[in-house]
Amino acid sequence: MEAVDPAVVETAAALARHLRQGRNRRLAVLDWFAEAGMPVFPGAAVVPEPPAGAVREALVWVLEGSVSQRLLEAARGAAGAGEEGQDALYAVAGRMLAARPYHRPVHPAVMRAALLVGEDPPDEPGSGGVAHLFAALGLGPQEVGAEALAEGFAAVGMFDLTAGEWAQMLGAAKHGKAPPVPWELLGEVDSVEQVRGASDEELVRARTVLIGLRPFYAMYMLHGLFMPDTPGLAALRALIDERGMGRSSTRSSRSARRPASSPKA
């Protein structure tokens, strides 16, 4: 009897772990892709990589169903439509964000500090600012204005600057007191097109980065959950902050979550 290829067996096992009745196969592919990138313990079977084409298709499908991509498409559709187009865009954005409000991720250290003094963790809804940001992506920053754009950057936590700090920086650039802002980069923000254009190797590298960020985030999450602190752990978190990984890992933790359901239509 001819032996079965071990890779075929592991592929079937991976599908069985992630594909269950009623679940979209593309979500199963993404879970399989994530599992294949996890470290392998000695003696454990190596999980084979899923087909790169299936991974790309699944990523595009998830992204196309996301609120951010739908907002971007709505903003691009409103370009050139004047004030009526802008009003219609903000109305659409308001409905989308009301159904699924955007909240900035709270850093675990900030959460711990609030709980230690008996306060509720801060809740920073940024729906209005997010609408401004997507309007700028679709209509152009000049149509939105520096003040609204500053609010948008602050809403998503870019560089952890406040709206006032962003407004000051944008104003300085406008008056030649700071380097000019490369506004053309806003036109390149499109996750779907980035995934479609990424090579197989680039998709794997992106997965490696996301998985590699988890230990950094875990250090803060455990701290936020009142893990007993030590000078050594505090020094390690300080080093993570010094290298700029604390806030970025908190934000990227959303992207690294395993998909559990289909995108909303």
Side-chain angles (χ1 to χ4, degrees):
M1 182 176 180
E2 187 176 349
V4 179
D5 187 342
V8 174
V9 175
E10 292 302 326
T11 295
L15 283 173
R17 283 192 295 273
H18 304 300
L19 186 59
R20 55 184 177 272
Q21 186 175 4
R23 192 180 195 214
N24 191 291
R25 64 172 179 81
R26 285 166 286 203
L27 295 178
V29 167
L30 291 181
D31 270 355
W32 177 8
F33 182 57
E35 184 186 19
M38 298 298 291
V40 179
F41 294 101
V46 176
V47 177
E49 294 283 352
V55 172
R56 185 175 286 101
E57 176 194 348
L59 286 169
V60 168
W61 175 73
V62 169
L63 290 170
E64 285 182 335
S66 66
V67 172
S68 59
Q69 187 65 25
R70 289 157 55 202
L71 279 172
L72 180 59
E73 291 171 358
R76 288 174 173 170
E83 291 187 6
E84 291 185 0
Q86 287 193 42
D87 292 341
L89 169 60
Y90 276 99
V92 169
R95 289 195 296 272
M96 287 187 186
L97 292 168
R100 187 177 293 183
Y102 174 83
H103 294 265
R104 287 182 58 181
V106 178
H107 194 284
V110 175
M111 182 180 297
R112 178 182 177 121
L115 295 176
L116 284 174
V117 295
E119 297 178 354
D120 292 330
D123 184 21
E124 302 180 53
S127 298
V130 171
H132 289 318
L133 182 57
F134 279 96
L137 292 175
L139 305 175
Q142 293 77 14
E143 297 294 326
V144 175
E147 184 176 344
L149 191 55
E151 185 181 341
F153 286 148
V156 297
M158 189 173 292
F159 301 124
D160 295 317
L161 299 177
T162 66
E165 290 169 334
W166 271 111
Q168 185 177 5
M169 289 179 60
L170 295 176
K174 180 179 179 180
H175 294 95
K177 298 179 180 178
V181 180
W183 294 120
E184 65 277 4
L185 295 180
L186 286 178
E188 300 176 8
V189 178
D190 190 326
S191 299
V192 170
E193 291 307 314
Q194 289 174 351
V195 169
R196 283 180 174 149
S199 66
D200 299 350
E201 293 76 15
E202 286 172 330
L203 291 179
V204 171
R205 285 204 301 271
R207 178 189 64 187
T208 301
V209 170
L210 280 175
I211 292 176
L213 284 173
R214 287 181 176 181
F216 294 100
Y217 180 62
M219 289 298 304
Y220 282 101
M221 179 54 72
L222 292 173
H223 179 65
L225 294 174
F226 297 106
M227 178 182 72
D229 210 6
T230 66
L233 291 174
L236 183 55
R237 289 196 306 276
L239 180 60
I240 294 172
D241 282 336
E242 181 183 333
R243 306 213 171 164
M245 300 302 298
R247 295 283 179 179
S248 62
S249 62
T250 301
R251 286 192 292 270
S252 67
S253 65
R254 289 187 169 188
S255 304
R257 291 175 183 170
R258 295 173 60 186
S261 59
S262 303
K264 294 187 179 296

